[in-house]
Structures are given as structure tokens and as C-alpha cells.
Amino acid sequence: MQSNILLENVKFGNWQLRSRVVMAPMTRSFADNITGEVGPEVADYYQKRAADGIGLIITEGINPSLRAKGTYGVPGLYTMNQIQSWKKVTDAVHQEGGTIAAQLWHVGRLTHHELTEGYPPQAPSSIAAKGLVHRLRKPYELPEEMTEADILEVIEQHAKAARNAIIAGFDGVEIHAAHGYLIDQFSTNLTNVRTDKYGGGFTQRLTFMKELLIAVVKEIGAERTIVRFSEIKDDIPGFKWDDPEHAVAAYIRVFKEIGLSFLHPSTNQFSEVLTNGLTFHQTVRKYWDGMIIGVGNLNSESASSAIMDGTIDLAAFGRPLLANPDFIQRIKSGSTLAPYDSRIQLTTKP
């Protein structure tokens, strides 16, 4: 059966993944809203997926600082108590033979002072987002333009959070440089009108991301660092790169210069053409010979085909894994997957 390629073991660096299936990062907001610590229900949530045989689990977004927080109940990795709470999660996953990476997530301008203990949002430029803050349902505020000192502080916060992730027992981290959050805000001229070294043309606007990734790699190594990037902007529906081919090539040049080997290009529809008849992941593969995680409304058949033709190496699934903690076992047996129901999966404890 073609989909069995998803069940193959695959080795990446020191990671021995039990399948090519990745649990995509999904915000659940089940951490303590005040302390940013996670409890036993979160350990159970990830342990179930590890026990099922998921190859790589990427956590929900985890904040590297208080000001990175964009909604209620988001966990952190910047206090000792947070580190200790995550240790119980990673121990549970490793007990099942699983591999787990912490996604580090700073929302930048997409927050509100009520979520960050009075601090205003941070951004490359003082340009407010349109729309309402997730779950708080209040308009986005005018962000504070980051000084160079602020930028260096945020870079150090990510490096420290990556170090804390390893202390907490994570096998690595994923840096969230996509979807219109802080790192991505630097890459886009709609949100970055700076005139210093962090602004300018497209390639120059990637400087913040590059310096941040260099700092993380220095702390934990390139082999334990994944980066997620995308054309998508959560607060700017319909956003498109002016020149998608140039954008992808520019990103890949940065990743190669740093020495990364593991990418997570993010799109809502895996099969959608990006440019020149190629999808986003096919365009990335044109420039990249390292590991690629595929994502974007995949099913076992489309994921298997993309792995077999060399476009991707691993396939990430989100909602199907919320609805089916036994996802791998259902693929093995050929059983029908339970449908995702947001009324159940997003309102119940994990």
C-alpha cells in the first residue's frame, strides 16, 4: 500500500524517527495563563501521539519571553518552573520512543498590552495590524518600533529559550519565522519600513531572521534547529510575494549560509501552485537538498506521493491528529479517520 512509506523509520542526525509522520504545531492554549507552565494533561496529550508512533512531534508555539505572547494560555520557556513543567512532557514522549521539538513563537505586533502585563507590542516598525487580537477580541494596538537594543535582546531571548528547551529535554526546536509573526514582520515591506541594516530590500530584511538563527544554532547546533517559513500572513489575507521565486531563493541562501539542514515550508494547500507551475514545496526543493517537512491539508495518499517523488521527506498533519490520537494505527490498518470537529477538538482538554 502506497501510504506505508509514511510508516518508514528515517534517521536525521541523531534523531531516529519511527515514521515520516510529523505532528504539526497547533495552538491549544492549555498552559496556565499566568505562569506559562504546562500540566499533566499536556504531557498526556503528546504522550498519546508518541505512543501511536508519530515520527516527530512539533509542539504548539512556546513563548521565549513575556512580550512574545499573543493570546491566552500560551506556554513559555523562559522561567525555571516552565522548564520543569516541560520536562514532564518530554519525559513522557521519550518514554514512548518519540522525538519532540519545541516551536519558539514570538507574535511581534499581533498582541495587546492586556496579554503582556502592560507592555506594548513590539515590531520592526510602528505600524498597527488590522483586525482583532485572537480570543481577546480587541483591536491590535500600535506597536513599539524596536530599537537595535530591543532586537539584540529578542535574539538573545530566542537563544536562551532554545538552550532552555534542551535543558527541558526537547530534542530540538523549530523557529517560527512564518505567518506574519515577529520574524516574518521583519521580512515584509508592509510591516518593515526601517532604514537601518534590518530594513531595505527583501534580502536585507531577512537580516533579523539570519542573526536570530545564527544565535540559536550557536546555542544548540544546526542539527537540532528547524525553521518554519511561509508566504502566508495570518493578519493579511491574500498576501503574495512580489516575486515568489526570488523570495524562496533568498530564504534558502540564508539557511545554507547558516548551515541548517531541516526546513518546514508552510502553506494552507500543499497542491497550490506558487510560481512557474511549481508548488511552494517544489520550489523549495529546487534550491534545497536537505530535509523538508510537507504540510497543507495533506492526506496519507498525497503525502506518500510527495515523499516518493522526492518533494518532501516528512509529512505534517494537524487536525487529523487532534481527531485521531491513533492516526498511525489507523493508517496501518486502513481504517477510516474520524472527522475533525472544532466544537470538540478545540474546546476540550487534550
Side-chain angles (χ1 to χ4, degrees):
M1 189 165 118
Q2 187 188 46
S3 62
N4 280 345
I5 195 170
L6 286 171
L7 308 180
E8 291 180 349
N9 291 344
V10 59
K11 183 173 175 56
F12 170 72
N14 293 324
W15 297 355
Q16 187 66 51
L17 308 183
R18 291 184 299 162
S19 71
R20 293 180 181 268
V21 175
V22 175
M23 182 174 184
M26 292 172 282
T27 301
R28 301 309 308 277
S29 295
F30 290 130
D32 185 288
N33 188 54
I34 303 301
T35 67
E37 298 164 27
V38 294
E41 70 277 5
V42 176
D44 182 62
Y45 166 69
Y46 287 119
Q47 185 173 20
K48 284 178 182 176
R49 276 71 183 180
D52 183 48
I54 298 300
L56 173 63
I57 293 170
I58 304 176
T59 69
E60 68 237 70
I62 303 175
N63 294 152
S65 70
L66 175 63
R67 295 185 73 173
K69 183 178 179 181
T71 191
Y72 297 111
V74 179
L77 261 174
Y78 53 90
T79 73
M80 186 53 65
N81 285 344
Q82 291 167 354
I83 294 169
Q84 291 171 349
S85 71
W86 278 113
K87 186 72 169 68
K88 296 172 184 176
V89 177
T90 60
D91 284 347
V93 169
H94 292 150
Q95 182 180 320
E96 304 295 343
T99 302
I100 183 167
Q103 188 195 71
L104 302 183
W105 178 39
H106 193 310
V107 302
R109 71 178 188 160
L110 300 185
T111 189
H112 191 278
H113 75 273
E114 291 183 19
L115 296 169
T116 58
E117 295 188 5
Y119 288 103
Q122 294 179 295
S125 299
S126 188
I127 302 171
K130 297 178 180 178
L132 302 178
V133 180
H134 181 59
R135 292 183 66 199
L136 182 65
R137 308 308 294 166
K138 291 187 177 182
Y140 290 114
E141 297 174 310
L142 189 68
E144 197 173 69
E145 181 171 316
M146 296 169 69
T147 65
E148 188 162 333
D150 293 330
I151 288 171
L152 296 176
E153 180 181 34
V154 169
I155 289 173
E156 173 54 28
Q157 287 167 346
H158 279 78
K160 184 177 180 181
R163 182 167 67 246
N164 290 344
I166 302 305
I167 294 170
F170 285 101
D171 298 289
V173 303
E174 175 176 274
I175 301 301
H176 198 338
H179 299 177
Y181 298 117
L182 181 64
I183 298 173
D184 197 23
Q185 287 162 25
F186 273 85
S187 74
T188 308
N189 60 6
L190 297 181
T191 48
N192 180 358
V193 294
R194 302 176 71 96
T195 57
D196 61 5
K197 71 172 184 173
Y198 297 103
F202 185 85
T203 301
Q204 189 63 30
R205 294 197 302 270
L206 298 181
T207 300
F208 173 68
M209 180 188 72
K210 182 177 181 179
E211 291 184 358
L212 188 150
L213 289 169
I214 288 171
V216 169
V217 166
K218 184 178 178 181
E219 283 293 337
I220 67 170
E223 73 284 357
R224 294 196 285 195
T225 304
I226 307 168
V227 60
R228 191 180 210 198
F229 70 112
S230 178
E231 181 182 50
I232 299 167
K233 308 285 180 280
D234 284 357
D235 63 317
I236 311 176
F239 175 88
K240 299 292 183 183
W241 283 320
D242 293 335
D243 185 341
E245 185 92 17
H246 173 261
V248 171
Y251 271 105
I252 300 299
R253 276 197 303 272
V254 171
F255 301 148
K256 286 183 175 180
E257 287 172 12
I258 297 169
L260 296 178
S261 51
F262 210 155
L263 303 183
H264 187 180
S266 179
T267 182
N268 289 328
Q269 292 295 334
F270 183 82
S271 60
E272 182 180 354
V273 171
L274 175 72
T275 185
N276 299 324
L278 300 179
T279 67
F280 184 26
H281 290 81
Q282 288 171 337
T283 306
V284 172
R285 178 57 81 195
K286 179 178 175 181
Y287 296 95
W288 182 258
D289 58 6
M291 293 282 279
I292 297 177
I293 299 174
V295 72
N297 204 25
L298 288 165
N299 57 40
S300 60
E301 289 73 25
S302 59
S304 298
S305 295
I307 292 170
M308 292 181 70
D309 70 23
T311 300
I312 62 175
D313 302 283
L314 307 174
F317 299 85
R319 292 176 175 179
L321 293 188
L322 292 183
N324 300 271
D326 58 347
F327 181 82
I328 295 288
Q329 302 312 311
R330 289 185 185 234
I331 291 178
K332 284 182 178 179
S333 65
S335 302
T336 302
L337 294 176
Y340 170 82
D341 185 341
S342 62
R343 293 172 299 175
I344 299 173
Q345 269 86 42
L346 290 183
T347 57
T348 57
K349 285 289 184 181

